[in-house]
Amino acid sequence: MQQKNDKKVIRSWAFFDWANSAYNLVITSTIFPAYYTIITSDKNDNTIDYVTFLGRKFVNSALYSYAMAVAFLVIALISPILSSIADTRGNKKIFMQMFTYIGSLACCGLFFFKIETLEISVILFVLAAIGFWGSLVFYNSYLPEIATVDQQDKVSAKGFTYGYIGSIILQLICFVFVFKPDWFGITDSSIPARLSFFMVGIWWMVFAQIPFKNLPKGSPNFKSEKQNVMTSGFKELKKVWGQVKQMAYLKRFLYAFFFYSMGVQTVMLVATIFGEKELHLPTSKLIATILLLQIVAIPGAMLMSYLSSKKYGNVNVLIGVVLIWIGACVAAYFIHTEYQFYALAAVIGLIMGGIQSLSRSTYSKFLPQESPDHTSFFSFYDVTEKVALVFGMFSFGYIEELSGSMRNSVIALAIFFVLGLLFLLFLKKVQPKSVAVIEK
């Protein structure tokens, strides 16, 4: 049995966030969406930008949303199979490595992204997303194995903090190439962005070696009976759902998590494109804003950890954060100036890391702490999130195509947050004595 609260193991675990969060910042939040919007635009603010992908015509930003939805759908379908194998054989680290290399190599391949290579580049973009989110299934499942219940908020926040710091460092390195290409004799304006994608892949791959070296391979849960690997994962999810239904608190939390996750990740994934298309902000200001958002997220995640552990309890803090998210979505519908965008980005930055970190640790606290099936439980958690994201990203793209405005899509996200809030309020009506650490 792995010794819990080992500082070296926890630090190594957090370094996986350091390694892969560069993808989350550069590819999903800043340089890639800005670059994608620029090269797929006709440079006329009064027209709708269309692209052709696999013979079908799409609004360029809607295609971006659909591509992400496909990536999340793939993860939702394959992670149960892989996590079942990992739980049975105790080799979750192998799957972390596999998804890491898929994602990082796909990022390297995006170096060749030009309008002429749009189709293969969108496919690489999807593969990078699958690599990132697929690795998190196994990364998250380590949390209850390496930390005791009283330390899980702190350890979860440590991971996000490492992630923000690591991603910001690489983002600053990328900025040197993006904003000062003449220092390196670069004359092709597309090379700085494409070089950034390549550096993300290398950064991710190199720093992931720290957790790969020091994390345990995973707690095995050997089963004597032979199983079909294509179905056992889904049977395991069904089994987990059967257990979840017996735990009213956990069930209501997952309902809430499902709905507010539709909004959280979608906002993070489309923020740059929203600023580019709806507010016509220059790329340099957009990237700087998203970077500021990441910096603000560090104290935000630490503040949420402190408030939940020391003051108000996880659920009360989550309710407060979701209320702020609802206000942020409503505000996004009405903003028209760059300074309004900056103010909104600062607010979202404060609550962005906190809600992710707190959701993960809250779920972890509810789990049977000595169970060998942590990967199955976290697979269920991740599938819940990915299915939510499929709905979130698809609805965002579809509503934009239907109405002609991303602002209407933002209002739909506000509705998802409201539903999540309602389930969090229902959650407070079930207060078992065993979850005093969750509810103050």
Side-chain angles (χ1 to χ4, degrees):
M1 180 68 69
Q2 170 67 34
Q3 180 71 36
K4 295 186 178 183
N5 299 334
D6 181 287
K7 290 184 179 179
K8 181 179 179 181
V9 171
I10 288 173
R11 192 164 51 248
S12 298
W13 178 83
F15 255 106
F16 192 73
D17 243 322
W18 173 291
N20 69 6
S21 289
Y23 160 85
N24 215 16
L25 180 55
V26 176
I27 304 296
T28 67
S29 300
T30 58
I31 297 177
F32 182 88
Y35 177 76
Y36 171 87
T37 305
I38 289 170
I39 69 167
T40 58
S41 170
D42 61 9
K43 310 299 186 294
N44 185 343
D45 293 340
N46 298 314
T47 61
I48 297 175
D49 298 315
Y50 288 98
V51 291
T52 300
F53 180 76
L54 300 180
R56 190 182 183 285
K57 196 176 182 182
F58 295 91
V59 173
N60 63 342
S61 51
L63 175 61
Y64 180 91
S65 297
Y66 294 150
M68 292 301 299
V70 168
F72 295 133
L73 181 60
V74 170
I75 290 299
L77 291 174
I78 66 173
S79 63
I81 300 171
L82 299 178
S83 62
S84 176
I85 297 172
D87 247 355
T88 302
R89 299 179 183 176
N91 60 353
K92 70 177 72 174
K93 187 157 69 172
I94 291 176
F95 292 103
M96 273 181 66
Q97 292 171 318
M98 179 184 76
F99 279 106
T100 293
Y101 294 133
I102 289 173
S104 57
L105 290 173
C107 288
C108 291
L110 287 173
F111 176 78
F112 301 100
F113 184 15
K114 289 190 173 184
I115 191 62
E116 297 82 10
T117 62
L118 175 69
E119 292 188 343
I120 186 62
S121 298
V122 169
I123 292 171
L124 286 172
F125 173 63
V126 170
L127 285 175
I130 289 172
F132 175 77
W133 293 101
S135 66
L136 289 184
V137 174
F138 305 99
Y139 170 66
N140 287 338
S141 70
Y142 270 108
L143 184 56
E145 283 190 31
I146 65 173
T148 54
V149 175
D150 62 308
Q151 293 295 310
Q152 285 170 12
D153 282 338
K154 182 179 179 181
V155 172
S156 183
K158 187 185 187 79
F160 278 102
T161 301
Y162 270 48
Y164 290 128
I165 294 172
S167 61
I168 287 169
I169 290 173
L170 181 62
Q171 179 78 90
L172 291 173
I173 295 171
C174 293
F175 276 177
V176 177
F177 291 95
V178 171
F179 296 127
K180 296 293 180 181
D182 52 298
W183 288 3
F184 307 94
I186 297 174
T187 55
D188 183 341
S189 62
S190 72
I191 285 183
R194 294 188 289 120
L195 184 61
S196 298
F197 309 151
F198 180 80
M199 288 192 292
V200 166
I202 298 301
W203 178 281
W204 185 358
M205 200 182 309
V206 169
F207 281 106
Q209 302 311 309
I210 297 173
F212 291 163
K213 178 182 178 182
N214 296 314
L215 283 176
K217 68 177 184 178
S219 299
N221 178 27
F222 293 106
K223 300 175 183 178
S224 56
E225 69 272 18
K226 291 186 177 181
Q227 302 182 59
N228 184 329
V229 294
M230 297 303 294
T231 60
S232 61
F234 295 99
K235 289 179 180 177
E236 196 69 25
L237 286 188
K238 184 178 179 181
K239 173 186 168 185
V240 170
W241 175 238
Q243 294 175 271
V244 167
K245 287 193 293 186
Q246 304 303 313
M247 296 179 273
Y249 217 76
L250 183 58
K251 182 173 69 172
R252 293 187 185 190
F253 170 74
L254 281 171
Y255 283 144
F257 176 71
F258 176 80
F259 284 108
Y260 69 67
S261 286
M262 286 188 194
V264 173
Q265 293 292 350
T266 303
V267 167
M268 293 164 61
L269 292 169
V270 301
T272 300
I273 292 181
F274 180 87
E276 183 96 38
K277 291 192 68 173
E278 294 293 333
L279 304 178
H280 311 299
L281 298 180
T283 301
S284 59
K285 290 185 176 180
L286 276 173
I287 293 176
T289 302
I290 301 299
L291 178 61
L292 175 64
L293 185 150
Q294 298 291 320
I295 295 174
V296 172
I298 298 173
M302 296 171 68
L303 176 63
M304 299 304 165
S305 173
Y306 171 76
L307 291 177
S308 59
S309 298
K310 306 293 185 183
K311 293 288 185 180
Y312 304 109
N314 293 40
V315 176
N316 287 327
V317 175
L318 280 171
I319 287 172
V321 173
V322 171
L323 279 169
I324 298 172
W325 272 106
I326 293 170
C329 288
V330 174
Y333 181 83
F334 292 102
I335 64 172
H336 288 91
T337 70
E338 66 175 275
Y339 292 106
Q340 291 173 337
F341 182 76
Y342 300 154
L344 184 60
V347 172
I348 290 176
L350 278 173
I351 57 178
M352 178 179 66
I355 196 169
Q356 292 177 288
S357 173
L358 197 55
S359 296
R360 179 169 65 185
S361 61
T362 301
Y363 182 76
S364 179
K365 287 178 178 180
F366 285 131
L367 302 184
Q369 295 299 305
E370 302 306 320
S371 169
D373 292 330
H374 289 139
T375 308
S376 293
F377 272 100
F378 268 97
S379 176
F380 193 89
Y381 175 85
D382 282 289
V383 168
T384 300
E385 183 183 42
K386 300 310 169 290
V387 173
L389 282 167
V390 171
F391 282 104
M393 292 301 295
F394 181 82
S395 63
F396 195 92
Y398 183 73
I399 292 170
E400 183 196 357
E401 282 204 302
L402 202 63
S403 67
S405 173
M406 297 179 82
R407 294 179 187 272
N408 297 320
S409 300
V410 170
I411 291 300
L413 298 185
I415 294 172
F416 297 150
F417 279 115
V418 169
L419 292 171
L421 175 65
L422 290 175
F423 279 107
L424 284 174
L425 293 173
F426 292 153
L427 176 60
K428 284 181 64 64
K429 294 184 178 182
V430 185
Q431 298 187 23
K433 295 178 181 178
S434 59
V435 292
V437 291
I438 311 293
E439 186 74 77
K440 295 287 186 183

